[in-house]
Amino acid sequence: MTTIEKKERINVFWFRRDLRFDDNKGLYYALKAGLPVLGLFIFDKNILDGLAADDARITFIHGELKKLNILLQSHGSAMHVEYGYPTNVWQKLFKQYDVGSLYMNRDHEPYAKSRDNAVAALARTKGISLETYCDHLIFEGDDVLKDDGNPYTVFTPYKNKWLKKLSGPAPNELPTAFTSFDSGFHLNQFRKVSHKTEIISLEAMGFVPSGQVFPPREIKQTIVTDYDKTRDFPAIAGTSRLGIHFRFGTISIRKKASKALKLNAVYLNELIWRDFYAMILYHFPHTISASFRPEYDRIAWRNDVKEFEAWTLGKTGYPLVDAGMRELNETGYMHNRVRMVVASFLTKHLLIDWRWGEAYFAKKLQDFELASNVGGWQWAAGCGTDAAPYFRIFNPEAQAKKFDPDQIYIKKWVPEFQTSDYALPIIDHKIARERCLNTYKSALSK
Ligand SMILES: Cc1cc2nc3c(=O)[nH]c(=O)nc-3n(C[C@H](O)[C@H](O)[C@H](O)COP(=O)(O)OP(=O)(O)OC[C@H]3O[C@@H](n4cnc5c(N)ncnc54)[C@H](O)[C@@H]3O)c2cc1C
């Protein structure tokens, strides 16, 4: 005779781009629901298999999970970390536990949506309910629409509506979009374990620690208060460097945006851009591989492989471009002003498809965010929503003079600048400009 063992009844919270306990909306509701909560993270083979062994993002996530695990250990619990394909992992968990509900914060990237739909379908076959929340954006998807119900495709009217929607319920109260989800928060609600467990090592997944440094999540308040004055100068530490923390949810966007609302409208504006691009990706997911303005997909890109390589290595002979690419290669970061210049240079001076540049950034940026990266690249190439008109072509030398007047940034990353060892310009600016104008004109007049 076989005895049927009773499965442990739990709820599960699935961590993805929200690696924190503090002000995590979905987690807050999971912990409040009553059942013990299993805190799950899946190192997804579908994603990991395409990455370099020393990918900095994997080192970062791994480090953050270790921190969460240590915190939970002091509450007699542990993070449940898996390595595999999400549907396989869920099949295993559904066999092992009697799962009441699955809690998670929504992710609107196309791959994430198809992954979550597959897991949701599986959960439905078991009668398990799914509870999902908006956590990594202030307003998502359909939250901010035009009066006629259509999505915005231009930033400024979107921003105005976004700010209108933010208006608090009463004067002096924080807008409800900034409600914090900390109160009633109990780490003790996480499912108890009988012994300490370590999370899977990087090496067991085929990775090695990245040597890159990660920016701190705590920043001086003056970075935000002075942001409008300092943000354009790459030699100054005048931006927050919080991109990676927003990407993986190691800080709360609600908390940062509510501070920005009081401290600096220009900083808040950048956070609204983040929502804007996420909204564009949600409504126009095809833009991850096609131009928002389809006529721009008729451009006859030159796609010269040697020139692309020179650009990736920071050897174009244009010092601001080269400094930016070398900063990216070495640190996984590039200043926003310089991102605009290198992206414009690749697409307009070299006439290389924006998708090549987008893919290179996706590999290298610690703060890589699909929506913002595609948005930034299409802006630079002139083919996106709020695109810079194609006839406005950045002059990389004029940009360097204006934004790095003492050449501090350039000399930091291109020490051979102004010596005979420095590369000659890969193309003359005037010739490149003319060629770009002709190529764009001929594509758009077809
Ligand atoms: C070609 C190109 C590619 C880009 N790729 C990415 C990317 O993959 N991931 C990414 O987060 N940003 C991207 N950006 C936007 C911007 O360059 C970075 O967000 C910023 O440089 C990150 O540095 P920071 O954290 O110090 O930002 P701060 O200047 O301190 O800004 C604070 C936060 O606001 C958000 N933000 C700022 N500017 C923008 C913007 N233009 N669009 C959307 N969000 C913004 C980011 O989350 C950023 O961390 C790209 C811009 C360009 C021109």
Side-chain angles (χ1 to χ4, degrees), residues 124-142:
R124 264 197 305 276
T125 63
K126 317 265 175 211
I128 295 165
S129 75
L130 209 73
E131 310 295 335
T132 74
Y133 301 87
C134 169
D135 180 74
H136 92 101
L137 300 165
I138 301 294
F139 296 122
E140 63 176 357
D142 290 329

Side-chain angles (χ1 to χ4, degrees), residues 227 239-243 270 274 333 336 339 367 369 373:
Y227 183 75
T239 70
S240 68
R241 302 249 174 156
L242 290 177
E270 298 306 320
R274 184 175 172 273
Y333 179 79
N336 177 60
R339 289 187 205 198
D367 65 25
E369 174 76 76
N373 201 38

